[in-house]
Amino acid sequence: MNLSVSIGKLTLQNPVMVASGTFGYGVEYSRLLDLNQLGAVVVKGIRLGPVRGNPTPRTAEVTSGMLNAIGLQGPGVDGFVEKYWPFLKSLRVPSIINIWGTTVEEYAEVARRFDAVGGVGALELNVSCPNIKEGGAQFGTDPKLLARVVAACRKATTLPLITKLSPNVTSVVPYALAAEAEGSDALSITNSFPAMAIDIETRRPKLANVTGGLTGPCIKPIAIKLVWDARRAVKIPIIGMGGIQSAADAIEFFLAGANAVAIGTANFYEPQTALAVIAGIQDYLQCHNITDIRELTGAVRLS
Amino acid sequence: MVEQPVQVISNERDTDAYFRLVLRAPEIARATQPGQFLHLRIPPLRDALLRRPFSIFQANGETVSILYKTIGKGTDMLARMGAGEELSAIGPLGHGFTVPARGGETPLLVAGGYGMAAMYLLAERSPQKGIVFVGGRRRVDILCEAEFRKLGWDVRVATEDGSYGEKGLVTQPLLAEIQNPKSKAESARPAKQIQNPKLFACGPTPMLKAVAKIAEEHKLAAEISMDEHMCCGVGVCLTCVIPVKTASGWEYQRTCTEGPVFDSREVVWEVAK
C-alpha cells in the first residue's frame, strides 16, 4: 500500500500533517505522541521579528468549533531558529514553516532566511490570517497582491512553496490560479473563516479582538467545497484542512480533490487525532482494495 | 505528562454548586506536584469540543481529585458523571508552587472560592505549617476547611456577606496578620512575627492583584496561580496568556506552561485582566 505523496520536490511518508497554529513548534506535543509517524509538522506562523500577539480573551468555544484571534504571537525568525529549530531538525519527518509578513518584501526576506537555514521541508505562505491588522489576509484577498507575494518568495527560495488560501473570497479559483501561475508548488485550503460570538449577559464580544477565525468540525463541509472548486482549476497538489477529526473526514477531502490533509483544531482536544487518521486511512484503503492513496484524489463520483 | 482514560471513582456534591470528583489515575497521581492541573475531555459534551482544565486538589497513590463549581456547559455535564464512567485526562500539567525547604519560609496561603483546592497539596507537602486565609462570597463558598485543619494548619475565614468568619474580603485578615501577627502557627511564639513568611495565592484575578500589592508593600515574596481561559493546555494554542515582564518590557506567557504559578512581581498587573 502506498501512502506517500509529493509536494514539489518534498516527499511525505504519508499524507497527514498537522495544521499551522495548532501544533506549536512540535516539541510541545512530543511527550504525547510520536511525531515521526506524521506526514509533516507545520509550525505556527513566523514573521521576521517577534510578535506579541492580541489581548485576551483570544479564543472562544462555539457549537462544534472555536473562534480564535491569537494574532500570530511568535518568536520571529531568529528566536525560532535558536529555540525550536534544533528539535525540529532532529525529527525524521519534514518540518514545514508557515511564514508571513506585512509587506511583499518581508515575505521574501523570511523565505530567504529559511532557505539559508538548511533542512527545511517546505514553506507555507500565510496570506490568510484574519486576525492581524496588517499583513496576512490582505494578501490573500487580492489576486494581484497574492501573485506578487508568491512570485517574490519564488525568487527568494528553492524550497517547495505552499500557498495557504483564504476562504473569505467570492471564489477561490482566481487565487488558486494566481498561486499556481507564480510557481507555488501546492495550496493549503483552507484557513479559518472570519466570525464572531457575543456574550449575551455582558453584551461583549467573546474575543478581545471582537472578531476571529472559525475552525473545527463546523467548517468542514465549506472547506470540502473550497477544495473541490480549486481542484477543478489547478493541477498542483492541494492540502485539505478544515474540521478533520477522523479518517472518514480526511477521506472526504481526498475525494473532493486533496492530495494530503492537515489536522487542526482537533489537536487541541484529542492530540492523538493525526495518528488515528493515518491508521484509519490505511484501514479504508485496505477495505476498498485500493493500493495507492493517490487514487483517491478527486475520485468523487458525480453520476 | 500523560494522556490517558481515567475512571470516575466518585463525584459528589460538596456544598451548594461545588463538587468533588475522584479519578483513578495512578500515573498522574504519582507525578503530581502542588499547583499543577488536569485537562479533562468530558465525553457527553459532543458539540462542545474543548477540554476543561482543573487544579489538582489531592493526589493519593492511585487517585487524583478535583474540586469544581458548576459554572457552565462543561462543569454541568461533569457533575452528571457517575462512578465507573470514563474521561480522557492529560496531566499533570503546568508549572506549580515551590514547596518551601525544611526550615525555610512559612507559607501564608490566600485562597478565593475553589482556589482553595489548588493549595491543598502545597499545605500537605510544606515542612512548615502556616496559615491559610480563605475567602468567598457566602458560607457555601468556603471549601475544604476541614482538610486544612486536619493538616494542623491555622485557617482564617472571611465571607463578603459575613455569614461565616470575618465579614469582608480575604485580604483583610491577611493584612491584619502581616501587620500585627497573632499566629498560632508552628514555631511562632505569641505576638512574634512568623518566621520568614511567603505568600501563595489562588483565586479570582482581582484577589491575586490585591495579594501582589500587599506582597510588594510588605516586601514579601508571593507566588500566585492564575485561572485563565484555556484551550489546548499544553502550550501550543496561546489562548491562556498573561503579560509577564521581560528585560526589554513585557511579553505574553502561557498560563498552562510557564504557569499557572507565577512570581507576583513578574506579572504586569496594569495589563492583566
Side-chain angles (χ1 to χ4, degrees):
Chain A
M1 186 191 294
N2 175 56
L3 282 183
S4 98
V5 295
S6 296
I7 290 169
K9 61 185 179 184
L10 178 68
T11 301
L12 309 180
Q13 63 179 351
N14 68 62
V16 181
M17 37 185 117
V18 285
S20 179
T22 68
F23 215 73
Y25 306 100
V27 65
E28 299 89 342
Y29 275 124
S30 61
R31 286 171 67 191
L32 292 178
L33 68 154
D34 179 8
L35 305 188
N36 284 320
Q37 305 296 315
L38 299 170
V41 172
V42 187
V43 304
K44 184 160 177 71
I46 296 165
R47 69 173 288 189
L48 209 47
V51 180
R52 181 180 272 171
N54 288 335
T56 58
R58 289 175 166 187
T59 65
E61 188 177 62
V62 297
T63 304
S64 291
M66 63 179 285
L67 297 182
N68 87 80
I70 306 299
L72 290 171
Q73 180 177 337
V77 175
D78 291 336
F80 168 81
V81 170
E82 188 194 326
K83 199 167 169 200
Y84 299 106
W85 185 241
F87 170 81
L88 287 164
K89 203 178 171 180
S90 76
L91 296 176
R92 291 194 304 274
V93 301
S95 293
I96 296 174
I97 314 293
N98 181 289
I99 67 169
W100 69 284
T102 56
T103 61
V104 173
E105 292 71 29
E106 185 178 359
Y107 274 96
E109 178 60 18
V110 177
R112 206 174 349 262
R113 297 284 298 277
F114 279 112
D115 193 271
V117 162
V120 169
L123 298 179
E124 183 179 59
L125 307 179
N126 182 356
V127 287
S128 41
C129 177
N131 302 323
I132 40 174
K133 287 195 187 73
E134 247 186 304
Q138 74 184 82
F139 295 98
T141 50
D142 175 348
K144 288 197 189 92
L145 209 46
L146 174 70
R148 283 179 54 208
V149 170
V150 177
C153 291
R154 185 69 290 164
K155 276 202 204 87
T157 179
T158 57
L159 293 170
L161 285 182
I162 303 162
T163 306
K164 187 165 185 176
L165 298 180
S166 170
N168 195 26
V169 292
T170 313
S171 166
V172 76
V173 170
Y175 299 88
L177 287 170
E180 183 179 52
E182 297 302 335
S184 188
D185 296 283
L187 303 173
S188 281
I189 299 175
T190 180
N191 207 317
S192 60
F193 291 73
M196 183 172 176
I198 301 166
D199 182 318
I200 61 165
E201 296 304 324
T202 62
R203 299 191 183 184
R204 296 181 64 84
K206 288 190 178 176
L207 299 177
N209 193 53
V210 183
T211 63
L214 179 65
T215 64
C218 59
I219 70 166
K220 193 191 76 178
I222 322 178
I224 300 261
K225 202 265 185 182
L226 289 167
V227 169
W228 161 246
D229 288 343
R231 178 74 291 156
R232 289 175 296 164
V234 299
K235 294 203 165 54
I236 53 177
I238 295 172
I239 305 158
M241 63 196 76
I244 298 176
Q245 305 189 92
S246 65
D249 294 336
I251 288 159
E252 263 190 83
F253 274 93
F254 285 104
L255 295 173
N259 303 74
V261 293
I263 312 302
T265 302
N267 294 317
F268 294 154
Y269 51 93
E270 289 298 348
Q272 310 293 332
T273 301
L275 302 188
V277 168
I278 295 165
I281 289 173
Q282 286 174 301
D283 290 346
Y284 177 87
L285 294 181
Q286 199 157 23
C287 278
H288 294 79
N289 293 313
I290 301 164
T291 54
D292 194 327
I293 183 71
R294 291 173 297 186
E295 289 173 37
L296 279 188
T297 297
V300 58
R301 293 176 183 145
L302 296 176
S303 54
Chain B
M1 185 216 298
V2 295
E3 180 195 355
Q4 58 184 203
V6 296
Q7 206 175 50
V8 176
I9 293 176
S10 65
N11 187 21
E12 281 161 18
R13 191 181 288 272
D14 196 88
T15 66
D16 197 44
Y18 297 96
F19 288 76
R20 284 181 191 219
L21 173 69
V22 183
L23 299 165
R24 206 189 110 73
E27 273 180 81
I28 294 172
R30 275 193 292 277
T32 297
Q33 298 296 318
Q36 288 190 297
F37 69 94
L38 276 186
H39 212 25
L40 297 180
R41 182 124 203 255
I42 303 161
L45 279 176
R46 298 178 207 286
D47 66 5
L49 300 166
L50 301 175
R51 286 170 184 265
R52 269 63 177 165
F54 300 93
S55 291
I56 297 173
F57 170 40
Q58 294 177 319
N60 295 320
E62 303 277 283
T63 68
V64 291
S65 62
I66 62 167
L67 202 56
Y68 64 97
K69 185 180 187 180
T70 50
I71 53 163
K73 211 188 283 188
T75 43
D76 285 347
M77 199 54 89
L78 188 59
R80 284 186 228 162
M81 294 190 74
E85 289 189 82
E86 261 186 12
L87 297 96
S88 162
I90 302 179
L93 293 170
H95 162 85
F97 292 113
T98 316
V99 180
R102 190 164 295 282
E105 302 105 335
T106 301
L108 300 182
L109 311 186
V110 192
Y114 57 81
M116 193 75 159
M119 320 215 71
Y120 179 81
L121 284 175
L122 174 62
E124 188 185 67
R125 296 184 191 181
S126 170
Q128 285 77 240
K129 290 182 175 52
I131 308 173
V132 52
F133 299 88
V134 54
R137 202 160 295 158
R138 304 160 304 157
R139 185 178 186 124
V140 289
D141 299 315
I142 306 302
L143 307 171
C144 50
E145 186 191 345
E147 278 82 355
F148 282 83
R149 290 207 192 276
K150 213 178 283 172
L151 293 175
W153 279 55
D154 185 354
V155 183
R156 312 268 176 89
V157 179
T159 52
E160 284 171 49
D161 69 356
S163 55
Y164 187 42
E166 188 174 329
K167 184 174 160 66
L169 297 172
V170 67
T171 40
Q172 287 169 205
L174 170 70
L175 206 51
E177 173 64 33
I178 291 171
Q179 287 164 343
N180 179 25
K182 55 176 182 180
S183 175
K184 300 187 286 275
E186 191 178 72
S187 82
R189 286 184 205 116
K192 231 185 171 186
Q193 197 86 24
I194 292 177
Q195 295 301 306
N196 199 7
K198 178 174 175 182
L199 303 180
F200 296 87
C202 184
T205 303
M207 185 202 93
L208 299 177
K209 203 170 177 173
V211 170
K213 191 162 169 260
I214 291 170
E216 195 189 342
E217 284 168 3
H218 294 84
K219 297 189 169 54
L220 296 173
E223 291 188 13
I224 49 107
S225 177
M226 302 292 288
D227 184 9
E228 292 296 313
H229 173 58
M230 215 173 260
C231 176
C232 75
V234 299
V236 308
C237 75
L238 308 179
T239 293
C240 62
V241 295
I242 62 157
V244 175
K245 286 175 195 154
T246 61
S248 55
W250 63 269
E251 65 181 12
Y252 281 118
Q253 289 189 7
R254 301 162 296 185
T255 299
C256 68
T257 307
E258 281 83 21
V261 176
F262 293 89
D263 183 323
S264 70
R265 289 165 296 195
E266 290 175 0
V267 178
V268 186
W269 294 102
E270 311 86 79
V271 182
K273 293 241 153 47

